[in-house]
Amino acid sequence: MADPNGFLSHPRKDAPKRPTDERLGDWHEVYAHLTSSERDTQVRKQATRCMDCGIPFCHSGSAGCPLGNLIPEWNDLVRRGDWRLAGERLHATNNFPEFTGKLCPAPCEAACVLAISPESGGSVTIKRIEETIAEVAWENSDVAARVSTVASGKRVAVVGSGPAGLAAAQQLTRAGHEVTVFERDDRLGGLLRYGIPEFKMEKKVLDRRLAQLRAEGTKFVTGCEVGGSGLSVAELRASFDSVVLAVGALRGRDAPDIPGRDLDGVHMAMDHLVPANRECEGDGPTPISAKGKHVLIIGGGDTGADCYGTATRQGALSVTQLDQYPKPPDARDDERSPWPVWPVVLRTYPAHEEAGERRFAVAVKRFVGADGHVRSVELQKVRVERDPETGNRVVTPVSDEVDTIPADMVLLAIGFDGVEHMPLLDGLGLSLTKRGTLACGSDWQTSAPGVFVCGDAHRGASLVVWAIAEGRSVANAVDAYLTGASDLPAPVHPT
Ligand code: SF4
């Protein structure tokens, strides 16, 4: 039984980070490694803050964890020091809790009852507890391969090895199907490999999970463009009973209307992040380094923060990140609010504590160049509103005043417009929705029989926790398609 007064005795304490100087000198994870005695004294106290609510909003309702993680249960197990059972309960709903523990912005914490008022001391540190449970489970060798004891005789192709594809593959392999994951890149992991910087999640974390999937029987093929030169659509259809498309939504949103966009030095965010991550993998120096440059990042989200920390570590002279929205507490997002007063806070990433500057309620008016290369940008103060009829975002300058700042490297991190064009979609006869994603029915099946979709390719660019939840759910649908019924969990439904 949880301690309902625990939050009164123990203040919220976020995970300790390594000193800024130290972490700027390497690419290792920002958060400090805790010894087992530190875990017992620190993380167990944090778990004690959970009240085990009768209706735990952290893992239910529209605002909580889409995986339905059994948060109060494992909080109580950690409070009691039963790390092994906590790891079991965590893995019952989440294939990859170390990914979410390190990468998810934790909608569960925003939905936690203790987030309502500052007097409560803030939400339970769910993300930190989750990550610690997962790490303890790995350290204690409690994360074993679960090899299926049945064989359905059915073959499934999963296209894409990001978190959605891997979750679907693991669930289907464990259900007894013969699963092959196809990846067009040279290494596995999708965004986890080439989009997420090492300082957020080191690749060895991904690699040990891939080893588990291999040991369970999932097969992997890298460097294979399905529908193109790697494997034709006819071969795909002839060789597999079902196909899961988990191809992501990597078509970056551009800003073609800003004068000077075509100057050298103005890049899409992924054109910066991918080679930087490749350099960390040992592929040689990136051609787009921030070293010795004034870097301007346009976009205030996760990808922008990843560019921010990467540019700082590469040795940028300055880093400035722009956000069109005003700095909270002026911002409100009432639609998602489960509470009378939604706890709006400024989302700050560790990268922001290290160096650089953030500017709010501003937008770029013009990129200014010399000799064909960007040298500065002109900024204007703006207001963001919603068109009441279309719901579209409208950005309006609020003054004629222009602020010019130096910038010889500009990174566009303003979101993604959906699935990239690929021959596979044409070959399967699939077209994109207005949102640039792949449509499906209530069973995740596209208009091509036996072809299913999940993750960002279905939802649009979203959180790692949604990718895993959709991967688990599509596995249920594919299993039912192949065998007539499925006992696999389906935590979410198609939008
Ligand atoms: Fe615990 Fe917060 Fe969930 Fe309540 S909402 S069960 S306090 S984590």
Side-chain angles (χ1 to χ4, degrees), residues 49-53 56-58 71-72 75 111-114 124 126:
R49 297 185 69 244
C50 176
M51 300 183 292
D52 191 7
C53 301
F57 287 101
C58 56
I71 294 165
N75 275 342
C112 170
V113 173
L114 289 178
V124 175
I126 300 168

Side-chain angles (χ1 to χ4, degrees), residues 189-273:
L191 269 184
L192 297 170
R193 174 78 60 186
Y194 289 134
I196 301 291
E198 287 272 305
F199 57 82
K200 281 174 73 176
M201 189 178 89
E202 293 177 18
K203 301 301 176 281
K204 63 186 181 189
V205 172
L206 170 60
D207 290 334
R208 70 186 178 191
R209 210 32 112 163
L210 290 169
Q212 183 201 31
L213 267 81
R214 280 195 178 93
E216 290 173 351
T218 304
K219 296 188 176 68
F220 292 97
V221 179
T222 54
C224 181
E225 178 80 53
V226 179
S229 54
L231 183 76
S232 72
V233 170
E235 288 167 330
L236 176 76
R237 295 301 250 159
S239 307
F240 295 93
D241 299 290
S242 179
V243 177
V244 175
L245 301 177
V247 295
L250 285 169
R251 185 149 47 90
R253 191 170 296 150
D254 208 333
D257 296 336
I258 301 179
R261 163 63 184 94
D262 53 353
L263 288 166
D264 287 346
V266 182
H267 306 282
M268 303 299 286
M270 295 310 291
D271 291 340
H272 174 232
L273 289 175

